[in-house]
Amino acid sequence: MPPHRTANDQAHTGRNGSAPTSPHPDEPDIWLTLTLGGLEFHFVACLTAALIFVCDLQRHRLAEHVRIAAYGAHETPRLPNECLFLEP
């Protein structure tokens, strides 16, 4: 494992380094679509991280538009550093 990864990062990675898993598997995943500079970015995050992330975006006015959905494509990547948005 590269030295820059933490134990917390490892806990949210699937077996054999597969795609990351939810830091709160008991919560539903939420699909987010962000518009920044006219570009769309798609992510999935657990409910807690999604809510805190969207509040943070609104507070700092970082995104032009945010769309939230209860479902989406399974291959959508997880929100980068999702575990940072588990607490306000």
Side-chain angles (χ1 to χ4, degrees), residues 65-83:
H65 181 73
V66 178
R67 187 173 55 232
I68 300 169
Y71 57 88
H74 289 286
E75 60 274 354
T76 303
R78 296 204 72 83
L79 181 66
N81 296 311
E82 179 179 5
C83 59

Side-chain angles (χ1 to χ4, degrees), residues 2-70:
H4 65 276
R5 295 189 58 173
T6 65
N8 198 27
D9 291 335
Q10 185 179 13
H12 303 304
T13 302
R15 291 185 183 142
N16 302 325
S18 62
T21 59
S22 175
H24 284 274
D26 54 316
E27 293 183 2
D29 277 341
I30 304 298
W31 277 258
L32 305 165
T33 301
L34 314 172
T35 305
L36 300 164
L39 299 173
E40 279 193 355
F41 298 89
H42 302 272
F43 300 106
V44 65
C46 68
L47 178 61
T48 299
L51 292 174
I52 293 172
F53 178 70
V54 168
C55 288
D56 197 49
L57 285 175
Q58 290 179 335
R59 181 179 15 199
H60 298 291
R61 299 178 186 198
L62 298 174
E64 298 157 18
H65 181 73
V66 178
R67 187 173 55 232
I68 300 169

